[in-house]
């Protein structure tokens, strides 16, 4: 029997439900299912999937949050994985060198060379689990744990759009220039967000990204 | 139409924020001091969500190309219309061609950092994903998705049909609802999910010590300087939704408070969250100043939100009353 998810409060603005266990696509499909269900609840302003977790923003914070939490746990237990027929995009990546200023840190942490890191990183098909961080940014599942590298001690104030980076057991591509606590190992170019389109994002949860090695700079 | 005359950095167009787009990675944005914006709009008879100019760096100068009514809220800085000194939190009639200058104020009872220039009719930039707030990271919303520059011309909306007597004003919320520990401004905080993962000493220091707001602080987040906050064991979390007010502790041990432009997700461990009711106080805390954290319970945090709602309701009541009384005085003449 699975453990109940952990629920915690994010101030009086929102609550966070975190599923137990290893990060998996099946759990994420349950998160998508729960998200679409609770979005219709009257006390929920918006439901936002993360990596095997779900944030609920309140319209008005309840004086007693326990009934809402109990209802959420019940909905989680009843939730069935929601499969999405998404599309796949391929992104050519230059790994290392100026395009990947933190490649050396990932090499030092993993004991692998740049070529091996690029090959391991570009091998899987990465499903988009969720969007977050900044407009159009995709959180991807399925990174090989051999190249997992902790987030940086202090976030970097500016990394460029197209930066391919690793943070803990996760990887992703920056959609625009901005601060980041992740390790940048390479670079690609793609427009992930257009405010004039509906929806404004290139990818949705359930779509997938494949990285292709364009070159590795040692 | 108003024209920006000075090229001071970082002034932006903001309303109360953009909601419902977190799932696209689009943060809430909106005024750092929501009470100042809301109160300014109430005084002007505006819809309470109309956009104003948020000004964090001074001096700031603009020229009005049409006659209009304005209110300056937020920080009590020095302001002049041409060469006439202005009161903050008070309705001002402006004639076409007049120039407004705002300069940093001297030492006062309340040290604050951001002025809101609210205009009857609001700053009428186009809505983007339901809001006029500037989304700096995404480069949309506000005026061309960026901070204001010299020469920018901003459209003003059609004012509501409301009586706006010059000189009618209100008491600022920081004076109506002061909160300090000793003489240090205080901010109320709820524990967050990873609170117990930090050492007992770190938790004790978090509540008992002063926290300096460093120069690396902006609308995205405030980086604090103070005692080291250390986890009992290394924590590497899966990325999850976060909101303005969340206090993350990166591996470096110095907290970062997420502010209005903060990204909507993160993975650093969270020691606490500034309660929604106090985010406006923090939004006004100047760089280089210090704050103290006060721990509150959920019930206290929800009650604090009600106190803020009550203050705004009182502003609405007083403004409505002021309009009636002054309109009566005018009609008698």
């Amino acid at each position: 029997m699975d453990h109940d998810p952990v629920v915690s409060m994010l101030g009086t603005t929102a609550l966070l439900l975190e599923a137990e266990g290893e990060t998996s696509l099946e759990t994420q499909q349950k998160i998508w299912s729960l998200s679409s269900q609770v979005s219709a609840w009257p006390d929920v302003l918006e439901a936002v999937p993360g990596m095997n977790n779900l944030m609920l923003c309140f319209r008005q914070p309840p004086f007693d949050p326990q009934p809402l939490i109990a209802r959420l746990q019940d909905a989680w237990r009843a939730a069935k994985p929601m499969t999405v027929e998404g599309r796949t995009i391929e992104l050519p990546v230059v790994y290392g060198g100026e395009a990947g200023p933190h490649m050396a840190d990932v090499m030092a942490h993993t004991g692998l060379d740049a070529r091996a890191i690029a090959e391991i990183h570009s091998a899987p098909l990465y499903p988009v689990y969720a969007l977050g961080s900044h407009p159009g940014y995709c959180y991807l599942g399925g990174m090989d744990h051999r190249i997992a590298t902790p987030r940086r001690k202090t976030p970097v104030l500016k990394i460029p759009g197209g930066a391919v980076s690793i943070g803990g057991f996760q990887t992703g591509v920056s959609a625009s220039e901005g601060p980041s606590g992740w390790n940048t190992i390479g670079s690609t170019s793609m427009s992930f967000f257009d405010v004039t389109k509906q929806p404004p994002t290139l990818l949705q949860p359930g779509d997938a990204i494949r990285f292709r090695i364009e070159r590795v700079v040692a | 139409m108003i024209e920006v005359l000075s090229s001071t950095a970082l002034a932006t167009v903001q309303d109360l924020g953009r909601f419902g787009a977190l799932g696209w990675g689009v943060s809430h944005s909106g005024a750092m001091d929501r009470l100042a914006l809301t109160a300014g709009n109430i005084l002007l008879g505006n819809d309470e969500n109309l956009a104003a100019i948020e000004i964090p760096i001074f001096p700031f100068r603009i020229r009005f190309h049409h006659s209009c009514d304005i209110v300056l809220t937020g920080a009590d800085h020095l302001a002049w219309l041409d060469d006439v000194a202005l009161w903050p939190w008070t309705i001002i009639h402006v004639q076409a061609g007049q120039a407004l200058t705002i300069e940093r104020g001297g030492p006062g009872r309340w040290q604050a950092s951001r002025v809101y220039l609210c205009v009857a009719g609001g700053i009428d930039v186009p809505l983007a994903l339901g809001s006029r707030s500037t989304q700096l990271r995404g480069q949309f919303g506000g005026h061309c998705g960026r901070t204001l520059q010299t020469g920018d011309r901003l459209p003003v909306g059609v004012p509501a049909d409301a009586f706006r007597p010059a000189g009618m004003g209100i008491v600022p919320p920081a004076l109506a609802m002061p909160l300090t520990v000793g003489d240090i401004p205080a901010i109320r905080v709820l524990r967050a999910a990873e609170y117990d993962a930090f050492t007992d000493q770190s938790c004790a220091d978090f509540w008992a010590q002063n926290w300096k707001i460093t120069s690396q602080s902006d609308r995205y987040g405030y980086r604090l300087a103070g005692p080291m906050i250390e986890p009992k064991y290394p924590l590497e979390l899966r990325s999850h939704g976060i909101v303005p007010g969340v206090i993350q502790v990166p591996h470096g041990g110095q907290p970062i408070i997420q502010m209005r432009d903060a990204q909507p997700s993160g993975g650093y461990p969270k020691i606490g969250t500034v309660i929604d009711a106090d985010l406006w106080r923090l939004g006004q805390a100047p760089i280089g100043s210090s704050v103290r954290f006060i721990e509150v319970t959920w019930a206290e945090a929800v009650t604090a939100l009600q106190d803020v709602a009550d203050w705004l309701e009182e502003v609405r009541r007083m403004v409505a009353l002021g309009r009636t009384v002054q309109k009566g005085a005018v009609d008698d003449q």
Side-chain angles (χ1 to χ4, degrees), chain B residues 196-230:
Chain B
D196 291 329
F198 294 95
T199 66
D200 293 348
Q201 184 62 51
S202 291
C203 292
D205 286 344
F206 180 76
W207 302 116
Q209 302 294 323
N210 292 351
W211 290 96
K212 188 175 172 189
I213 296 166
T214 70
S215 59
Q216 286 189 346
S217 298
D218 54 21
R219 286 185 45 89
Y220 288 96
Y222 284 6
R223 294 184 185 219
L224 306 182
M228 286 291 289
I229 300 295
E230 292 170 314

Side-chain angles (χ1 to χ4, degrees), chain A residues 8-14 16 18-23 45-46 48 50-53 55 57-58 61-65 131-137 139 149-155 157 167-168 170 174 176-179 181-182 193 195 198-201 204, chain B residues 18-28 128-129 135 137-138 140 190-194 216 220 223 235-244 246 250-253 256 262-268 270 273-277 279 298-299 301-303 305-306:
Chain A
S8 60
M9 310 313 282
L10 293 162
T12 51
T13 309
L16 181 66
E18 298 177 87
E20 296 281 282
E22 284 287 301
T23 308
L45 177 63
E46 49 191 320
V48 188
M51 295 293 280
N52 278 197
N53 50 57
M55 176 171 77
C57 293
F58 306 123
F63 269 98
D64 176 7
L131 276 77
S133 176
H134 54 270
Y137 181 82
Y139 284 110
T149 306
R151 292 177 178 84
R152 304 187 66 75
K153 280 197 191 311
T154 306
L157 284 174
Q170 298 171 213
S174 295
S176 57
E177 178 185 278
W182 289 24
F193 189 87
V195 72
Q198 180 60 33
T201 58
Q204 314 298 327
Chain B
R18 181 174 285 108
F19 300 94
L22 292 179
W24 292 321
V26 178
S27 58
H28 284 160
L129 299 179
Q135 228 290 344
R137 179 75 191 254
F140 65 86
L190 271 171
R191 291 185 187 191
E194 288 77 52
Q216 286 189 346
Y220 288 96
R223 294 184 185 219
L235 284 166
E236 199 67 37
L237 308 178
R238 291 181 282 210
S239 297
H240 57 269
I242 54 175
V243 291
V246 165
H251 307 312
I256 300 176
Q263 56 178 51
S265 57
Y268 287 119
K270 309 171 289 299
T273 307
V274 173
I275 64 173
D276 205 17
L279 275 173
W298 173 265
V302 175
T303 303
L305 213 48
Q306 188 57 48

Side-chain angles (χ1 to χ4, degrees), chain B residues 242-325:
Chain B
I242 54 175
V243 291
V246 165
I247 307 171
Q248 296 182 323
V249 184
H251 307 312
Q254 296 289 278
I256 300 176
I257 311 180
Q258 306 300 306
M259 299 303 285
R260 295 239 77 92
D261 283 345
Q263 56 178 51
S265 57
Y268 287 119
K270 309 171 289 299
I271 191 168
T273 307
V274 173
I275 64 173
D276 205 17
D278 281 352
L279 275 173
W280 65 276
R281 300 178 194 275
L282 195 61
Q284 285 291 6
I287 283 174
S289 71
S290 290
V291 294
R292 283 284 286 269
F293 295 126
I294 300 174
E295 182 171 12
V296 289
T297 63
W298 173 265
E300 288 167 336
V302 175
T303 303
L305 213 48
Q306 188 57 48
D307 294 341
V308 167
D310 289 347
W311 181 80
L312 279 173
E313 190 53 38
E314 185 61 11
V315 170
R316 289 183 200 105
R317 193 181 73 84
M318 292 305 291
V319 168
L321 192 62
R323 261 189 205 124
T324 316
V325 171

Side-chain angles (χ1 to χ4, degrees), chain B residues 94-109:
Chain B
V94 178
Q95 302 304 317
Q98 287 190 301
L100 172 74
T101 304
I102 309 172
E103 290 184 10
R104 183 164 291 288
R109 262 176 87 186

Side-chain angles (χ1 to χ4, degrees), chain B residues 28 67 74 93 146 155-158 182 197 237 259 296:
Chain B
H28 284 160
S67 300
H93 294 324
R146 59 164 172 77
V156 173
V158 178
L237 308 178
M259 299 303 285
V296 289

Side-chain angles (χ1 to χ4, degrees), chain A residues 62-101:
Chain A
F63 269 98
D64 176 7
Q66 287 313 318
L68 177 63
I69 292 171
R71 200 169 150 217
L72 193 60
Q73 296 280 19
D74 288 343
W76 172 257
R77 279 188 287 268
K80 297 276 181 290
M82 182 169 107
T83 52
V84 178
E85 291 298 319
R87 64 201 184 105
T88 298
I89 62 159
E90 187 184 86
L91 299 175
V93 178
V94 176
Y95 286 95
E98 278 181 21

